Amino acid sequence: NAGVTQTPKFQVLKTGQSMTLQCAQDMNHNSMYWYRQDPGMGLRLIYYSASEGTTDKGEVPNGYNVSRLNKREFSLRLESAAPSQTSVYFCASSEADSVLTIYEQYFGPGTRLTVT
Amino acid sequence: AQTVTQSQPEMSVQEAETVTLSCTYDTSESDYYLFWYKQPPSRQMILVIRQEAYKQQNATENRFSVNFQKAAKSFSLKISDSQLGDAAMYFCAYRSYDNYGQNFVFGPGTRLSVLP
């Protein structure tokens, strides 16, 4: 099993350019997430998808859009990149929470994005 | 809103010694989960240990153990017999049952160095 994979690993964009970060998981997880990691701030949730066909905003959704293409894939799109979006982006997945337990999240290797 | 604080931006430990990383959190909920994640230079986020708030017994995973003090809202991680491979960023994370998928809050992280 590859777990959670992300492409690309590195990307440099100019202000105003657009791009899509791809994420896929092979663990048959229902829930998927996109985080950004900035120095001194830990990880902050951008968007999540509790199940196929649903997406919801997290803590910092502005400037981003997402698509849950199918159960395996969850993409993050930057329509018009800004320098403030320079960050490391992580995709994660987990089994669906139940009333009995909350499951840990499995993370991809991250994408380092620089916007100049 | 819940918050997670890690008051030690950096820590160091001698190889084979023991180190404790601190984490405090703020919540009004009674049922939740706490996690410690490790992020080595490879950037991959790896689950180290988890603790259910309703369990009084502290979780242990090999050389890693926690000291969970629910009343004090404290969740420290103890690493025994430290190894060079333990060098990484460590993130404390909080997750509640509310707002499935959304309420997963990370602390800012502690960078641990292991000295040979």
Side-chain angles (χ1 to χ4, degrees), chain A residues 28 50 65 67 79 96 101:
Chain A
N28 202 35
N65 285 302
S67 296
E79 290 291 351
T101 192

mmCIF file of all heavy atoms in Angstrom, chain A residues 28 50 65 67 79 96 101:
data_model
loop_
_atom_site.group_PDB
_atom_site.id
_atom_site.type_symbol
_atom_site.label_atom_id
_atom_site.label_comp_id
_atom_site.label_asym_id
_atom_site.label_seq_id
_atom_site.Cartn_x
_atom_site.Cartn_y
_atom_site.Cartn_z
ATOM 1 N N ASN A 28 -8.936 2.995 1.403
ATOM 2 C CA ASN A 28 -10.400 2.916 1.422
ATOM 3 C C ASN A 28 -11.005 3.797 2.522
ATOM 4 O O ASN A 28 -12.049 3.465 3.084
ATOM 5 C CB ASN A 28 -10.877 1.467 1.579
ATOM 6 C CG ASN A 28 -12.297 1.283 1.078
ATOM 7 O OD1 ASN A 28 -12.710 1.915 0.098
ATOM 8 N ND2 ASN A 28 -13.055 0.427 1.736
ATOM 9 N N ALA A 50 -15.838 14.694 4.424
ATOM 10 C CA ALA A 50 -16.191 13.619 5.353
ATOM 11 C C ALA A 50 -16.514 12.321 4.614
ATOM 12 O O ALA A 50 -16.335 11.226 5.150
ATOM 13 C CB ALA A 50 -17.373 14.039 6.225
ATOM 14 N N ASN A 65 -10.125 26.044 -3.472
ATOM 15 C CA ASN A 65 -11.285 25.219 -3.771
ATOM 16 C C ASN A 65 -10.850 23.762 -3.770
ATOM 17 O O ASN A 65 -9.674 23.464 -3.980
ATOM 18 C CB ASN A 65 -11.878 25.567 -5.142
ATOM 19 C CG ASN A 65 -12.627 26.861 -5.117
ATOM 20 O OD1 ASN A 65 -13.576 27.033 -4.346
ATOM 21 N ND2 ASN A 65 -12.216 27.804 -5.952
ATOM 22 N N SER A 67 -12.047 19.477 -4.711
ATOM 23 C CA SER A 67 -12.923 18.538 -5.411
ATOM 24 C C SER A 67 -12.658 17.143 -4.866
ATOM 25 O O SER A 67 -11.499 16.705 -4.838
ATOM 26 C CB SER A 67 -12.652 18.553 -6.923
ATOM 27 O OG SER A 67 -12.961 19.804 -7.487
ATOM 28 N N GLU A 79 -6.853 29.122 -7.414
ATOM 29 C CA GLU A 79 -7.298 29.762 -8.659
ATOM 30 C C GLU A 79 -6.398 30.931 -9.053
ATOM 31 O O GLU A 79 -6.105 31.137 -10.210
ATOM 32 C CB GLU A 79 -8.732 30.258 -8.517
ATOM 33 C CG GLU A 79 -9.773 29.146 -8.450
ATOM 34 C CD GLU A 79 -9.936 28.381 -9.765
ATOM 35 O OE1 GLU A 79 -9.367 28.816 -10.806
ATOM 36 O OE2 GLU A 79 -10.604 27.332 -9.765
ATOM 37 N N ALA A 96 -13.962 6.969 8.694
ATOM 38 C CA ALA A 96 -15.015 7.865 9.151
ATOM 39 C C ALA A 96 -15.193 7.719 10.653
ATOM 40 O O ALA A 96 -15.248 6.613 11.185
ATOM 41 C CB ALA A 96 -16.322 7.542 8.434
ATOM 42 N N THR A 101 -15.642 6.120 18.388
ATOM 43 C CA THR A 101 -14.211 6.369 18.295
ATOM 44 C C THR A 101 -13.898 7.398 17.234
ATOM 45 O O THR A 101 -14.674 7.616 16.302
ATOM 46 C CB THR A 101 -13.448 5.060 17.992
ATOM 47 O OG1 THR A 101 -12.056 5.289 18.180
ATOM 48 C CG2 THR A 101 -13.687 4.604 16.563
#
